[in-house]
Amino acid sequence: MNDNENKKTIVFPKGIPGFEDHTTFILEKEEDSPIVHLESAKDKEVGFVLFPPQLYFKNYLSKIEFGSEEVEALEITAEDTVEIWAIITLCLSDISKSTVNLRAPIVINPRTNQGFQFILNDENYSSRQQLFVDGQQEDKDRSNEEGAVG
Amino acid sequence: MLVLSRKVNETILIGDDIEIVVVAVAGDNVRLGIKAPKDVKILRSEVYEDIQKQNVEAASGSPLHNKDISAKLQQMLGDRLNNKE
């Protein structure tokens, strides 16, 4: 299928850590969902589930400073607004235990359709941040009682 | 590999704009301070290995075209978002 509004080819000039030899990925939006898929063009077995972290983590990367490596890989200019995505590690036996990688967001420059996994220096961000369990445990308990989760 | 001996508070310069100082030594733990331009990437090497490992795990556990899992995840994300507001 050719690229369209929901499906774009993104080039990761440096690959992705662990998959350094995969440089071309298909970014596909799920219908009616904040989730997108990032699938290696040469191997369908290599795929990631991404979501926009700022949806939950409001102040996440409100001030992002790129180094020369990111600027070069993404061809960022002053006019560009980049997309920030985070990789979800699904726990298939219990989806509520799934985690999200906030330490190394996927950054995409929509103008050049180039991507890069940006490993942050900030040790406060976890590569295994719980997605559904956080400090707001009370909220979660209440929703369980109402049967909204599960 | 160049090997240098340094005492606490002594520094090493790399190039014109990177400075490493030995802040403290306690047992086998060495605390380093690094002054470098913001665009220089500084990572403990195990961080890169952790990201590699995490990516491999994420990719292996992600059946992208499984509608049941997608629907479940989407519902849970929506629930969590609604609970926050």
Side-chain angles (χ1 to χ4, degrees):
Chain A
M1 195 191 285
N2 292 325
D3 286 13
N4 60 42
E5 208 176 298
N6 291 321
K7 206 168 181 178
K8 277 161 65 171
T9 302
I10 308 290
V11 173
F12 286 71
K14 308 216 165 181
I16 289 178
F19 300 96
E20 285 83 356
D21 55 339
H22 294 252
T23 53
T24 306
F25 285 80
I26 312 298
L27 183 79
E28 185 172 9
K29 284 187 175 17
E30 263 189 23
E31 220 170 297
D32 302 322
S33 169
I35 299 287
V36 302
H37 297 161
L38 190 66
E39 188 176 274
S40 170
K42 74 173 185 184
D43 185 355
K44 283 193 186 310
E45 296 294 309
V46 176
F48 301 95
V49 175
L50 310 183
F51 101 117
Q54 282 143 343
L55 203 60
Y56 287 173
F57 307 97
K58 292 289 180 206
N59 298 317
Y60 181 64
L61 299 185
S62 51
K63 278 182 266 168
I64 189 165
E65 288 185 59
F66 294 113
S68 52
E69 196 181 2
E70 292 79 36
V71 170
E72 193 184 313
L74 294 167
E75 295 183 28
I76 300 173
T77 66
E79 287 80 41
D80 288 330
T81 305
V82 297
E83 294 175 5
I84 308 277
W85 298 96
I87 297 177
I88 292 178
T89 302
L90 280 171
C91 176
L92 293 178
S93 57
D94 181 356
I95 290 184
S96 72
K97 290 185 180 151
S98 298
T99 61
V100 63
N101 184 348
L102 296 183
R103 187 67 190 270
I106 297 284
V107 182
I108 289 172
N109 185 346
R111 181 179 58 82
T112 60
N113 285 334
Q114 281 170 306
F116 185 77
Q117 186 169 24
F118 185 20
I119 303 178
L120 303 173
N121 280 340
D122 191 337
E123 306 245 327
N124 291 318
Y125 292 122
S126 169
S127 64
R128 290 172 183 77
Q129 173 72 44
Q130 287 290 334
L131 192 50
F132 297 109
V133 183
D134 60 15
Q136 295 188 316
Q137 195 62 37
E138 287 172 26
D139 287 348
K140 192 162 181 290
D141 290 342
R142 205 180 308 134
S143 68
N144 274 335
E145 281 164 23
E146 290 163 6
V149 174
Chain B
M1 190 195 290
L2 173 67
V3 178
L4 300 170
S5 291
R6 297 275 70 190
K7 295 193 170 72
V8 170
N9 289 330
E10 290 184 339
T11 60
I12 293 168
L13 296 173
I14 300 174
D16 294 331
D17 44 18
I18 298 176
E19 184 181 340
I20 297 173
V21 57
V22 180
V23 176
V25 180
D28 59 0
N29 205 331
V30 180
R31 204 166 166 78
L32 301 174
I34 302 164
K35 270 189 221 164
K38 278 192 174 149
D39 64 353
V40 174
K41 191 179 278 298
I42 302 166
L43 290 175
R44 290 181 293 125
S45 57
E46 61 265 33
V47 173
Y48 189 85
E49 287 157 20
D50 169 61
I51 299 303
Q52 280 183 319
K53 191 166 156 260
Q54 195 61 31
N55 282 345
V56 169
E57 195 183 321
S60 67
S62 297
L64 294 188
H65 305 290
N66 182 322
K67 284 208 163 35
D68 291 343
I69 290 171
S70 291
K72 175 88 176 162
L73 181 63
Q74 191 179 327
Q75 186 210 329
M76 291 183 70
L77 289 170
D79 287 346
R80 188 184 189 281
L81 199 59
N82 291 336
N83 288 340
K84 281 221 150 174
E85 288 163 357

